Amino acid sequence: MTDAPMTTTSTTGADWGAWQESWDRQQEWYMPDREERFRIMLDMVEALAGTAPRVLDLACGTGSITARLLARLPDAVSTGVDLDPALLAIAEGTFAADDRVTFVTADLRDPQWSTRLPYDSYDVVLTATALHWLHSEPLAVLYGQVAGLVRDGGLFMNADHMIDDSTPRINAAERAQRHLRMDQAKAAGALDWAEWWQLAAQDPVLAGPTARRFEIYGEHADGDMPSAAWHARVLREQGFGEARPVWCSPSDTLLLAVK
């Protein structure tokens, strides 16, 4: 059944919990194992950075990682950075009363984006399903900037689409199977990316931020999506001591780098 329109409230202007839930369901249409990658991500945060890390949630969107981080590690603090005004509105509304969380509006393609952050260094930098819109050259530059923000012994994790072009038959089979599953879920009423944004554009609170979002980004576009081996190599070249996958699906990888 298709999601119902979001309701507004007199105190906040929008039901942020409902918008978070709707975003999660839309993302899970593309990635049914989304919660598993978050679980492994937080396992490694706790293993390498303890239970009270200072975390940078990079390209944070609605704050999906931050929400799971604080539920798992309530003594953590998080800085979310993004450029999308609609997703940031949901994030800021969700965490408005939580002094553990700060949000920063910044363009990761701006060489000075990190100067807007409240801290000079972080124990952990996390990102998921966000950096694939960058092409390889600017992504390598960003990895160098991230390395400069992570303290010695700290870590960076990126969970994203990482495609190995050396296995075309495997890739084609995975893609066909994934799209079959997505078609079945769509027939059962799942919202896709475009439909979710259509709902956001109709919401009285999110309509303005959504319009600005499309002025900034246009329609959704992907970058190069290089292989996990490329990511690991470039992260080492940019200043991390170790880097390798710690979880993968047939199409996605969670790659961990330690400074």
Side-chain angles (χ1 to χ4, degrees), residues 4 39 52 137 142 150 196 229 243:
R39 183 185 69 80
E137 185 175 342
L142 179 63
V150 174
W196 190 91

Side-chain angles (χ1 to χ4, degrees), residues 12 16 70 91-103:
T12 65
W16 300 121
L70 297 179
E92 290 167 348
T94 300
F95 296 96
D98 196 329
D99 61 8
R100 298 170 296 177
V101 184
T102 303
F103 290 103

Side-chain angles (χ1 to χ4, degrees), residues 16 62 83-91 196-197 200 206 209-211 213:
W16 300 121
T62 66
L83 186 62
D84 189 313
L87 298 185
L88 278 175
I90 296 171
W196 190 91
W197 282 109
L206 288 177
T210 297
R213 185 252 179 231

Side-chain angles (χ1 to χ4, degrees), residues 37-212:
R37 72 189 69 192
F38 286 148
R39 183 185 69 80
I40 299 298
M41 178 182 280
L42 295 177
D43 281 350
M44 300 312 299
V45 169
E46 188 170 2
L48 287 162
T51 59
R54 178 189 295 170
V55 175
L56 176 60
D57 186 351
L58 194 67
C60 64
T62 66
S64 297
I65 289 175
T66 290
R68 288 152 180 80
L69 169 76
L70 297 179
R72 169 84 174 258
L73 303 174
D75 293 328
V77 295
S78 178
T79 302
V81 59
D82 208 303
L83 186 62
D84 189 313
L87 298 185
L88 278 175
I90 296 171
E92 290 167 348
T94 300
F95 296 96
D98 196 329
D99 61 8
R100 298 170 296 177
V101 184
T102 303
F103 290 103
V104 174
T105 300
D107 186 344
L108 297 181
R109 296 166 296 186
D110 178 354
Q112 302 301 315
W113 71 268
S114 63
T115 63
R116 298 175 177 237
L117 301 176
Y119 303 106
D120 293 331
S121 68
Y122 288 84
D123 303 308
V124 179
V125 178
L126 303 175
T127 190
T129 328
L131 301 186
H132 58 268
W133 54 268
L134 285 174
H135 290 278
S136 299
E137 185 175 342
L139 181 56
V141 171
L142 179 63
Y143 278 172
Q145 294 169 323
V146 169
L149 289 168
V150 174
R151 65 163 173 81
D152 288 345
L155 59 141
F156 167 70
M157 277 186 278
N158 181 12
D160 211 339
H161 313 310
M162 299 183 187
I163 307 302
D164 188 341
D165 290 333
S166 71
T167 58
R169 288 180 294 172
I170 295 172
N171 297 348
E174 181 280 324
R175 186 164 48 251
Q177 179 68 18
R178 173 162 41 92
H179 281 277
L180 175 61
R181 174 191 55 76
M182 291 169 68
D183 289 345
Q184 292 168 341
K186 194 75 170 60
L191 289 177
D192 64 20
W193 172 269
E195 290 167 332
W196 190 91
W197 282 109
Q198 288 170 4
L199 283 180
Q202 296 165 12
D203 184 87
V205 175
L206 288 177
T210 297
R212 293 195 297 275

